[in-house]
Amino acid sequence: MDKNHLIYLRTEGSAERGYLSFFELNRDLQFPIKRVYYIYDVPVGIKRGMHAHKKLQQLLWCPCGEIEIVVDDGKERVSYLLDSPKKALLVLNGYWREMYWKKEGSVLCVVASDYYDETDYIRDYNEFLKYVEEGYWDHEDQL
Ligand code: TYD
């Protein structure tokens, strides 16, 4: 299972003036961004996600608040806590993801490698497991 999905964003600043975090194509992120979206006003305790993507890759970060992201490769589940604006999570294609809102006002920002396409989603966990078993993704290769 992936040990390197969490990225610590390059950050400039000071406690006096505040901070600025950033990422750049090729230097920090390996896919060109085709889409940006964000999820907000989610009540605490709500779970979102619950799907995998066949091809889409995404970088997720939480500029304010606290969101837990569980990433599942069909064999193992790994939990990541986005509790700092300096942390971002790269989620490759072929991973089931679940997102748990831990604090009121938490915002989840996402950049994605492609346009929105419902046919790229796998929304049924058993169907996801079938894709894994059939070797649709080589998770070992990706990590
Ligand atoms: P979805 O990806 O299922 O979000 P979550 O897993 O957090 O519930 O998207 C929710 C709805 O928004 C779904 O009907 C598809 C739509 N949507 C778009 O139209 N464009 C987008 O870029 C995204 C991410 C979702």
Side-chain angles (χ1 to χ4, degrees), residues 23 25 29-37 53-61 89-94 97 109-117 120-121 142:
F23 53 90
L25 180 62
L29 182 71
Q30 300 314 312
F31 60 80
I33 296 167
K34 284 202 182 161
R35 178 162 51 112
V36 180
Y37 64 92
H53 284 285
K54 293 174 192 162
K55 299 209 170 108
L56 192 75
Q57 305 203 340
Q58 294 165 299
L59 187 74
L60 294 69
W61 73 101
L89 183 66
L90 179 69
V91 181
L92 300 174
N93 55 318
R97 82 283 318 270
C109 295
V110 183
V111 292
S113 63
D114 217 334
Y115 303 114
Y116 171 72
D117 175 9
D120 188 67
Y121 280 72
Q142 282 181 316

Short mmCIF file of all heavy atoms in Angstrom, two decimals, residues 23 25 29-37 53-61 89-94 97 109-117 120-121 142:
data_model
loop_
_atom_site.label_atom_id
_atom_site.label_comp_id
_atom_site.label_asym_id
_atom_site.label_seq_id
_atom_site.Cartn_x
_atom_site.Cartn_y
_atom_site.Cartn_z
N PHE A 23 1.82 24.62 -4.82
CA PHE A 23 2.39 23.49 -5.54
C PHE A 23 2.42 23.83 -7.02
O PHE A 23 1.63 24.66 -7.49
CB PHE A 23 1.63 22.18 -5.27
CG PHE A 23 0.15 22.23 -5.50
CD1 PHE A 23 -0.38 21.92 -6.75
CD2 PHE A 23 -0.72 22.57 -4.48
CE1 PHE A 23 -1.74 21.95 -6.97
CE2 PHE A 23 -2.09 22.61 -4.69
CZ PHE A 23 -2.60 22.31 -5.93
N LEU A 25 3.21 22.40 -11.20
CA LEU A 25 3.23 21.27 -12.13
C LEU A 25 4.67 20.75 -12.30
O LEU A 25 5.60 21.55 -12.45
CB LEU A 25 2.66 21.70 -13.48
CG LEU A 25 2.61 20.63 -14.56
CD1 LEU A 25 1.72 19.47 -14.14
CD2 LEU A 25 2.11 21.21 -15.88
N LEU A 29 3.52 18.20 -8.50
CA LEU A 29 2.33 17.48 -8.98
C LEU A 29 2.63 16.96 -10.37
O LEU A 29 3.11 17.71 -11.23
CB LEU A 29 1.15 18.48 -9.03
CG LEU A 29 -0.19 17.92 -9.47
CD1 LEU A 29 -0.75 17.02 -8.37
CD2 LEU A 29 -1.17 19.06 -9.74
N GLN A 30 2.35 15.67 -10.60
CA GLN A 30 2.80 15.06 -11.85
C GLN A 30 1.75 15.09 -12.96
O GLN A 30 2.06 14.80 -14.10
CB GLN A 30 3.27 13.62 -11.61
CG GLN A 30 4.43 13.53 -10.62
CD GLN A 30 5.54 14.54 -10.90
OE1 GLN A 30 5.99 14.68 -12.03
NE2 GLN A 30 5.97 15.27 -9.87
N PHE A 31 0.51 15.49 -12.64
CA PHE A 31 -0.48 15.52 -13.72
C PHE A 31 -0.92 16.97 -13.99
O PHE A 31 -1.05 17.75 -13.05
CB PHE A 31 -1.70 14.64 -13.38
CG PHE A 31 -2.44 15.02 -12.13
CD1 PHE A 31 -3.36 16.06 -12.13
CD2 PHE A 31 -2.25 14.32 -10.95
CE1 PHE A 31 -4.06 16.40 -10.99
CE2 PHE A 31 -2.93 14.66 -9.79
CZ PHE A 31 -3.85 15.71 -9.82
N PRO A 32 -1.16 17.32 -15.27
CA PRO A 32 -1.69 18.65 -15.58
C PRO A 32 -3.12 18.75 -15.06
O PRO A 32 -3.90 17.81 -15.19
CB PRO A 32 -1.66 18.71 -17.11
CG PRO A 32 -0.87 17.55 -17.56
CD PRO A 32 -0.91 16.52 -16.48
N ILE A 33 -3.45 19.88 -14.48
CA ILE A 33 -4.77 20.08 -13.87
C ILE A 33 -5.79 20.46 -14.94
O ILE A 33 -5.58 21.41 -15.69
CB ILE A 33 -4.69 21.19 -12.80
CG1 ILE A 33 -3.77 20.76 -11.66
CG2 ILE A 33 -6.08 21.54 -12.29
CD1 ILE A 33 -3.39 21.90 -10.72
N LYS A 34 -6.89 19.68 -15.00
CA LYS A 34 -7.96 20.02 -15.93
C LYS A 34 -9.19 20.53 -15.20
O LYS A 34 -10.11 21.06 -15.83
CB LYS A 34 -8.35 18.80 -16.77
CG LYS A 34 -7.37 18.48 -17.86
CD LYS A 34 -8.05 17.66 -18.93
CE LYS A 34 -7.10 17.26 -20.02
NZ LYS A 34 -7.61 16.13 -20.79
N ARG A 35 -9.24 20.33 -13.89
CA ARG A 35 -10.46 20.69 -13.15
C ARG A 35 -10.11 21.01 -11.70
O ARG A 35 -9.23 20.36 -11.12
CB ARG A 35 -11.44 19.52 -13.20
CG ARG A 35 -12.74 19.71 -12.46
CD ARG A 35 -13.76 18.69 -12.95
NE ARG A 35 -13.22 17.35 -12.92
CZ ARG A 35 -13.63 16.38 -12.10
NH1 ARG A 35 -14.61 16.62 -11.25
NH2 ARG A 35 -13.10 15.19 -12.14
N VAL A 36 -10.78 22.01 -11.17
CA VAL A 36 -10.63 22.39 -9.76
C VAL A 36 -12.02 22.42 -9.15
O VAL A 36 -12.95 22.94 -9.77
CB VAL A 36 -10.01 23.81 -9.62
CG1 VAL A 36 -9.85 24.20 -8.16
CG2 VAL A 36 -8.67 23.90 -10.36
N TYR A 37 -12.19 21.85 -7.97
CA TYR A 37 -13.47 22.00 -7.27
C TYR A 37 -13.25 21.96 -5.77
O TYR A 37 -12.14 21.62 -5.31
CB TYR A 37 -14.50 20.95 -7.71
CG TYR A 37 -14.16 19.51 -7.42
CD1 TYR A 37 -14.59 18.90 -6.24
CD2 TYR A 37 -13.46 18.74 -8.34
CE1 TYR A 37 -14.31 17.57 -5.98
CE2 TYR A 37 -13.17 17.41 -8.07
CZ TYR A 37 -13.60 16.83 -6.90
OH TYR A 37 -13.32 15.52 -6.63
N HIS A 53 -12.08 5.91 -8.82
CA HIS A 53 -12.03 6.39 -10.21
C HIS A 53 -11.19 5.44 -11.04
O HIS A 53 -10.13 4.96 -10.61
CB HIS A 53 -11.43 7.79 -10.27
CG HIS A 53 -12.37 8.85 -9.81
ND1 HIS A 53 -13.43 9.28 -10.58
CD2 HIS A 53 -12.43 9.54 -8.65
CE1 HIS A 53 -14.09 10.21 -9.91
NE2 HIS A 53 -13.52 10.39 -8.73
N LYS A 54 -11.66 5.17 -12.26
CA LYS A 54 -10.92 4.27 -13.14
C LYS A 54 -9.60 4.91 -13.58
O LYS A 54 -8.56 4.26 -13.58
CB LYS A 54 -11.77 3.93 -14.37
CG LYS A 54 -13.00 3.11 -14.03
CD LYS A 54 -13.88 2.92 -15.25
CE LYS A 54 -15.24 2.36 -14.84
NZ LYS A 54 -16.26 2.55 -15.88
N LYS A 55 -9.65 6.18 -13.97
CA LYS A 55 -8.45 6.84 -14.53
C LYS A 55 -8.06 8.12 -13.82
O LYS A 55 -6.91 8.54 -13.92
CB LYS A 55 -8.70 7.16 -16.01
CG LYS A 55 -8.97 5.92 -16.86
CD LYS A 55 -8.51 6.13 -18.29
CE LYS A 55 -8.55 4.82 -19.05
NZ LYS A 55 -9.63 4.78 -20.02
N LEU A 56 -9.00 8.74 -13.16
CA LEU A 56 -8.76 10.08 -12.61
C LEU A 56 -7.75 10.09 -11.46
O LEU A 56 -7.81 9.24 -10.58
CB LEU A 56 -10.08 10.67 -12.11
CG LEU A 56 -10.05 12.16 -11.77
CD1 LEU A 56 -10.04 13.00 -13.04
CD2 LEU A 56 -11.25 12.53 -10.90
N GLN A 57 -6.86 11.07 -11.48
CA GLN A 57 -5.96 11.29 -10.36
C GLN A 57 -6.28 12.65 -9.75
O GLN A 57 -6.69 13.58 -10.46
CB GLN A 57 -4.50 11.26 -10.83
CG GLN A 57 -4.20 9.95 -11.57
CD GLN A 57 -2.73 9.61 -11.59
OE1 GLN A 57 -1.88 10.44 -11.40
NE2 GLN A 57 -2.45 8.35 -11.82
N GLN A 58 -6.12 12.75 -8.44
CA GLN A 58 -6.52 13.97 -7.74
C GLN A 58 -5.54 14.32 -6.64
O GLN A 58 -4.93 13.44 -6.02
CB GLN A 58 -7.90 13.77 -7.09
CG GLN A 58 -9.02 13.57 -8.10
CD GLN A 58 -10.26 13.03 -7.42
OE1 GLN A 58 -10.24 11.95 -6.85
NE2 GLN A 58 -11.35 13.76 -7.51
N LEU A 59 -5.43 15.62 -6.38
CA LEU A 59 -4.72 16.10 -5.20
C LEU A 59 -5.75 16.82 -4.33
O LEU A 59 -6.49 17.68 -4.82
CB LEU A 59 -3.59 17.05 -5.59
CG LEU A 59 -2.70 17.47 -4.41
CD1 LEU A 59 -1.79 16.32 -3.99
CD2 LEU A 59 -1.84 18.69 -4.79
N LEU A 60 -5.81 16.43 -3.06
CA LEU A 60 -6.81 16.96 -2.13
C LEU A 60 -6.10 17.69 -1.00
O LEU A 60 -5.08 17.21 -0.51
CB LEU A 60 -7.63 15.82 -1.50
CG LEU A 60 -8.56 14.95 -2.34
CD1 LEU A 60 -7.80 14.05 -3.28
CD2 LEU A 60 -9.42 14.11 -1.43
N TRP A 61 -6.65 18.81 -0.60
CA TRP A 61 -6.12 19.46 0.60
C TRP A 61 -7.23 20.22 1.31
O TRP A 61 -8.28 20.50 0.72
CB TRP A 61 -4.92 20.35 0.28
CG TRP A 61 -5.21 21.63 -0.43
CD1 TRP A 61 -5.29 22.87 0.11
CD2 TRP A 61 -5.44 21.79 -1.84
NE1 TRP A 61 -5.56 23.80 -0.86
CE2 TRP A 61 -5.65 23.17 -2.08
CE3 TRP A 61 -5.49 20.92 -2.94
CZ2 TRP A 61 -5.91 23.69 -3.34
CZ3 TRP A 61 -5.76 21.44 -4.20
CH2 TRP A 61 -5.96 22.80 -4.38
N LEU A 89 -3.03 15.47 -0.16
CA LEU A 89 -3.05 14.02 -0.36
C LEU A 89 -3.25 13.71 -1.84
O LEU A 89 -4.24 14.13 -2.44
CB LEU A 89 -4.19 13.40 0.46
CG LEU A 89 -4.28 11.88 0.40
CD1 LEU A 89 -3.07 11.23 1.07
CD2 LEU A 89 -5.57 11.39 1.07
N LEU A 90 -2.27 12.99 -2.40
CA LEU A 90 -2.40 12.55 -3.79
C LEU A 90 -3.17 11.24 -3.79
O LEU A 90 -2.76 10.28 -3.12
CB LEU A 90 -1.00 12.34 -4.38
CG LEU A 90 -0.96 11.86 -5.82
CD1 LEU A 90 -1.44 12.96 -6.77
CD2 LEU A 90 0.44 11.42 -6.20
N VAL A 91 -4.27 11.19 -4.49
CA VAL A 91 -5.03 9.95 -4.60
C VAL A 91 -5.01 9.53 -6.07
O VAL A 91 -5.56 10.22 -6.94
CB VAL A 91 -6.48 10.10 -4.08
CG1 VAL A 91 -7.22 8.77 -4.19
CG2 VAL A 91 -6.49 10.58 -2.63
N LEU A 92 -4.35 8.41 -6.31
CA LEU A 92 -4.22 7.91 -7.67
C LEU A 92 -5.50 7.21 -8.11
O LEU A 92 -6.37 6.92 -7.27
CB LEU A 92 -3.04 6.94 -7.74
CG LEU A 92 -1.69 7.56 -7.37
CD1 LEU A 92 -0.61 6.49 -7.31
CD2 LEU A 92 -1.31 8.66 -8.34
N ASN A 93 -5.61 6.90 -9.37
CA ASN A 93 -6.76 6.15 -9.86
C ASN A 93 -6.72 4.73 -9.29
O ASN A 93 -5.65 4.21 -8.97
CB ASN A 93 -6.78 6.12 -11.39
CG ASN A 93 -5.49 5.59 -11.98
OD1 ASN A 93 -4.41 5.91 -11.53
ND2 ASN A 93 -5.61 4.75 -12.98
N GLY A 94 -7.89 4.14 -9.14
CA GLY A 94 -7.94 2.76 -8.67
C GLY A 94 -8.02 2.60 -7.17
O GLY A 94 -7.83 1.49 -6.68
N ARG A 97 -12.17 5.77 -2.03
CA ARG A 97 -11.91 6.80 -1.02
C ARG A 97 -13.18 7.15 -0.26
O ARG A 97 -14.29 7.14 -0.81
CB ARG A 97 -11.26 8.05 -1.62
CG ARG A 97 -12.14 9.08 -2.29
CD ARG A 97 -12.60 8.71 -3.67
NE ARG A 97 -11.60 8.10 -4.51
CZ ARG A 97 -10.80 8.79 -5.30
NH1 ARG A 97 -10.90 10.08 -5.37
NH2 ARG A 97 -9.96 8.15 -6.09
N CYS A 109 -10.51 21.03 -0.88
CA CYS A 109 -10.17 21.50 -2.22
C CYS A 109 -9.57 20.34 -3.00
O CYS A 109 -8.82 19.54 -2.45
CB CYS A 109 -9.13 22.62 -2.14
SG CYS A 109 -9.76 24.08 -1.33
N VAL A 110 -9.89 20.31 -4.29
CA VAL A 110 -9.43 19.20 -5.12
C VAL A 110 -8.99 19.73 -6.49
O VAL A 110 -9.68 20.56 -7.08
CB VAL A 110 -10.57 18.15 -5.34
CG1 VAL A 110 -10.07 16.96 -6.15
CG2 VAL A 110 -11.16 17.70 -4.02
N VAL A 111 -7.83 19.26 -6.95
CA VAL A 111 -7.48 19.45 -8.36
C VAL A 111 -7.45 18.06 -9.00
O VAL A 111 -7.03 17.09 -8.37
CB VAL A 111 -6.15 20.20 -8.57
CG1 VAL A 111 -6.26 21.64 -8.13
CG2 VAL A 111 -4.98 19.51 -7.87
N ALA A 112 -7.92 18.00 -10.23
CA ALA A 112 -8.10 16.70 -10.87
C ALA A 112 -7.45 16.68 -12.24
O ALA A 112 -7.32 17.72 -12.91
CB ALA A 112 -9.59 16.39 -10.99
N SER A 113 -7.06 15.47 -12.66
CA SER A 113 -6.33 15.29 -13.92
C SER A 113 -7.25 15.31 -15.14
O SER A 113 -6.77 15.30 -16.26
CB SER A 113 -5.56 13.97 -13.89
OG SER A 113 -6.47 12.88 -13.77
N ASP A 114 -8.56 15.32 -14.90
CA ASP A 114 -9.46 15.30 -16.06
C ASP A 114 -10.78 15.99 -15.75
O ASP A 114 -11.07 16.32 -14.60
CB ASP A 114 -9.72 13.86 -16.50
CG ASP A 114 -9.81 13.75 -18.02
OD1 ASP A 114 -10.18 14.77 -18.67
OD2 ASP A 114 -9.53 12.68 -18.56
N TYR A 115 -11.58 16.17 -16.78
CA TYR A 115 -12.90 16.78 -16.64
C TYR A 115 -13.83 15.81 -15.91
O TYR A 115 -13.56 14.61 -15.84
CB TYR A 115 -13.49 17.11 -18.01
CG TYR A 115 -12.60 18.02 -18.83
CD1 TYR A 115 -12.01 17.57 -20.00
CD2 TYR A 115 -12.33 19.33 -18.40
CE1 TYR A 115 -11.18 18.39 -20.74
CE2 TYR A 115 -11.51 20.16 -19.14
CZ TYR A 115 -10.94 19.68 -20.30
OH TYR A 115 -10.10 20.49 -21.03
N TYR A 116 -14.93 16.34 -15.42
CA TYR A 116 -15.92 15.49 -14.75
C TYR A 116 -16.50 14.50 -15.76
O TYR A 116 -16.91 14.88 -16.86
CB TYR A 116 -17.03 16.35 -14.16
CG TYR A 116 -18.17 15.51 -13.65
CD1 TYR A 116 -18.03 14.76 -12.49
CD2 TYR A 116 -19.37 15.44 -14.35
CE1 TYR A 116 -19.04 13.96 -12.03
CE2 TYR A 116 -20.41 14.64 -13.89
CZ TYR A 116 -20.23 13.91 -12.74
OH TYR A 116 -21.24 13.11 -12.28
N ASP A 117 -16.51 13.23 -15.37
CA ASP A 117 -17.03 12.19 -16.25
C ASP A 117 -17.60 11.07 -15.37
O ASP A 117 -16.84 10.33 -14.74
CB ASP A 117 -15.88 11.65 -17.12
CG ASP A 117 -16.30 10.47 -17.98
OD1 ASP A 117 -17.52 10.17 -18.03
OD2 ASP A 117 -15.42 9.84 -18.60
N ASP A 120 -16.31 7.49 -15.37
CA ASP A 120 -15.02 7.16 -14.74
C ASP A 120 -15.20 6.70 -13.28
O ASP A 120 -14.26 6.20 -12.67
CB ASP A 120 -14.10 8.40 -14.79
CG ASP A 120 -12.69 8.06 -14.33
OD1 ASP A 120 -12.01 7.30 -15.04
OD2 ASP A 120 -12.29 8.53 -13.25
N TYR A 121 -16.41 6.88 -12.74
CA TYR A 121 -16.67 6.54 -11.34
C TYR A 121 -17.00 5.05 -11.19
O TYR A 121 -17.68 4.47 -12.01
CB TYR A 121 -17.89 7.30 -10.81
CG TYR A 121 -17.65 8.73 -10.40
CD1 TYR A 121 -17.44 9.72 -11.35
CD2 TYR A 121 -17.72 9.11 -9.06
CE1 TYR A 121 -17.27 11.05 -10.97
CE2 TYR A 121 -17.55 10.44 -8.67
CZ TYR A 121 -17.34 11.40 -9.63
OH TYR A 121 -17.17 12.71 -9.25
N GLN A 142 2.02 1.62 -9.35
CA GLN A 142 1.68 3.03 -9.17
C GLN A 142 2.42 3.64 -8.00
O GLN A 142 2.60 4.83 -7.95
CB GLN A 142 0.19 3.17 -8.88
CG GLN A 142 -0.69 3.05 -10.09
CD GLN A 142 -2.12 3.23 -9.69
OE1 GLN A 142 -2.56 2.66 -8.69
NE2 GLN A 142 -2.87 4.00 -10.43
#
